[in-house]
Amino acid sequence: MNNPEQSQNLPLRNARVPATAVGRRLDQVLAELFPQFSRSRLTAWIKSGDVLLDGRAVLPRHAVHGDELISLNAQPSQEVPLAPEEIPLDIRYEDADVLVVNKPVGLVVHPGAGQAAGTLQNALLHHDARLAEIPRAGIVHRLDKDTSGLMVIARTLPAHTSLVEQLQARDVHRQYQAVVYGALIAGGSVNAPIGRHPHDRLRQAVVDESAGKPAVTHYRVRERFRAHTLIECRLETGRTHQIRVHLAHLRHALVGDATYGGLMLPKGAGPELTEALRGFRRQALHAEKLEFAHPADGRTISVSAERPADMEALVVALRADTAAHAQTEARRGRR
C-alpha cells in the first residue's frame, strides 16, 4: 500500500520524511510511513542496516530533519499479515479516531511465540479492516493475558502518533484495582527500576538502575479485609508486569499470581474462603479506568469498566470472611 507521503517517482518502499516530522525519531516516523509493518519489525530492520536515511545507516532514535530519503530494503515477505477473526469485543467507547475495549481475562493482546491467532489484534482486524493500515492494528499499550480491563486503540495514524506520545509523556491516566495478600495500612508509591529477572527470563524483577528501566507505581487502600487488601493502583510508567512486580517487592503479591506470589491461605480460613482463593487462578488485577486527551480535539476521554465477575466473587468472599471473624472476636470479648 502506497503512503500519501511517498513520491510517485520513487520505488514502492522509498519515502520522503515529511516536514511535519522534524525532530522526531526515525523509528516513529517509519512506523507511520510503512504501517503495513510492525514497529518491532521496522526497528529490527533499522538496526540491521536494511533501512537507510539519505543512503546511510542510522540508529532508531536518530532525529530526522525533514525531506530525507528513506530506503527500506527488506523483503515484504518477512512480514506475515494477520487474519481477521470474529472474536467478540466489549467496546466501551468508539469514534472515528479511537476505540476503547474492555479486554477479558484469557485474551492475548497480540500474536507472539506460541500464540499465532485468537488475539485481540485478530479481533480488531475483524471489527475494522482499515486497522490493517495502522501499526499493530492500532494497539499502543498492552495488558497481560490474565489481566482484564480497558485498552485504547488508535484508528488512524495521527491518532496512533498522539496516543504513543501521550503514553511516553505519562499523560494517559491508567487506573487499576487489585487484591493483594496482607493487610496494608496505608497507600504509597513504589519507585523502583524493573528489568529482566537475573535467573529467570520469563519473569521481571526490581533491579539496579543500570540493569532496568525506571518504573513508578502509586497505590492507595480502597478496602481492608482480615488478611487481604483491595487497592487502587495508578501507573506513571508501563513496564512489563509492573504492578505485579512492585507489589511482590513490597511483600504484598497479588492474589492468584502464580509467577510472583503463589497461593497463601490465611490462618483460620474457612471452607468458602479457601475455595475462593484456590479457585482464583489468575492475578487479581483489573484496569478499571482510562483517561486520555482525544487525538483530534484534545477533549478528555474518560472510560471506566466495572470489576469482572471473578474478582467480584473474590471480594465478596473476603468480606464474608472478615465479617465472620469479627463476629467471632466479638463473641469472645463478651465472655
Side-chain angles (χ1 to χ4, degrees):
M1 177 177 175
N2 287 320
N3 190 281
E5 295 290 350
Q6 290 177 300
S7 168
Q8 299 300 313
N9 298 321
L10 295 173
L12 177 62
R13 288 188 303 281
N14 282 2
R16 289 283 178 186
V17 176
T20 54
V22 173
R24 296 180 59 203
R25 291 170 54 117
L26 174 62
D27 54 358
Q28 295 174 342
V29 176
L30 208 64
E32 296 183 3
L33 294 178
F34 299 97
Q36 66 269 45
F37 302 121
S38 70
R39 176 74 170 269
S40 59
R41 182 62 56 86
L42 290 167
T43 299
W45 284 339
I46 296 173
K47 292 179 178 178
S48 66
D50 289 314
V51 175
L52 301 179
L53 192 67
D54 280 343
R56 63 189 183 93
V58 296
L59 296 174
R61 65 174 182 270
H62 177 84
V64 299
H65 301 293
D67 199 43
E68 299 103 315
L69 176 64
I70 296 176
S71 301
L72 176 59
N73 300 317
Q75 295 300 314
S77 59
Q78 291 177 273
E79 185 80 8
V80 179
L82 294 179
E85 295 184 53
E86 190 173 359
I87 300 171
L89 289 174
D90 179 7
I91 297 175
R92 296 302 176 97
Y93 177 86
E94 183 173 16
D95 62 26
D97 299 285
V98 298
L99 62 90
V100 178
V101 299
N102 184 24
K103 187 190 83 67
V105 173
L107 182 64
V108 174
V109 170
H110 47 69
Q115 182 81 41
T119 71
L120 175 62
Q121 192 169 347
N122 297 98
L124 290 169
L125 291 171
H126 181 271
H127 176 73
D128 183 357
R130 292 171 297 180
L131 288 174
E133 302 174 4
I134 313 298
R136 292 207 168 186
I139 295 171
V140 293
H141 63 120
R142 63 184 294 273
L143 293 175
D144 296 333
K145 174 184 176 182
D146 290 329
T147 296
S148 58
L150 298 171
M151 294 180 60
V152 60
I153 310 299
R155 304 187 74 179
T156 67
L157 285 175
H160 185 275
T161 299
S162 173
L163 290 172
V164 168
E165 290 176 347
Q166 288 184 56
L167 285 163
Q168 291 176 340
R170 304 182 182 182
D171 290 334
V172 177
H173 177 80
R174 289 173 289 172
Q175 182 174 302
Y176 296 72
Q177 58 175 285
V179 180
V180 300
Y181 289 109
L184 279 165
I185 303 302
S189 298
V190 185
N191 186 347
I194 290 177
R196 189 78 67 180
H197 192 284
H199 306 299
D200 184 351
R201 294 195 59 79
L202 297 179
R203 299 171 61 196
Q204 302 294 308
V206 169
V207 296
D208 292 335
E209 291 184 6
S210 60
K213 296 181 179 179
V216 181
T217 304
H218 306 287
Y219 65 94
R220 72 179 184 90
V221 173
R222 183 174 290 185
E223 187 173 354
R224 296 183 184 89
F225 309 108
R226 181 174 67 92
H228 301 79
T229 310
L230 175 66
I231 63 172
E232 175 185 301
C233 298
R234 181 172 60 84
L235 293 181
E236 277 197 27
T237 53
R239 308 306 176 201
T240 301
H241 300 174
Q242 179 172 319
I243 293 175
R244 300 165 64 188
V245 172
H246 273 171
L247 270 295
H249 180 66
L250 293 181
R251 301 187 184 279
H252 289 283
L254 273 61
V255 169
D257 193 343
T259 301
Y260 297 103
L263 177 65
M264 290 179 278
L265 295 175
K267 183 179 180 180
E272 294 83 5
L273 181 59
T274 298
E275 181 181 355
L277 292 172
R278 288 190 183 278
F280 203 89
R281 301 183 180 277
R282 59 104 172 180
Q283 60 267 12
L285 183 63
H286 173 64
E288 66 174 353
K289 188 174 183 179
L290 198 59
E291 284 188 356
F292 56 92
H294 192 280
D297 55 27
R299 60 193 165 93
T300 299
I301 302 297
S302 181
V303 186
S304 299
E306 66 282 358
R307 194 159 49 222
D310 63 343
M311 276 187 69
E312 180 62 27
L314 176 63
V315 168
V316 168
L318 292 170
R319 286 173 180 159
D321 171 77
T322 301
H325 278 264
Q327 291 175 359
T328 299
E329 291 299 315
R331 286 195 297 268
R332 287 175 179 172
R334 289 195 293 268
R335 291 175 184 173

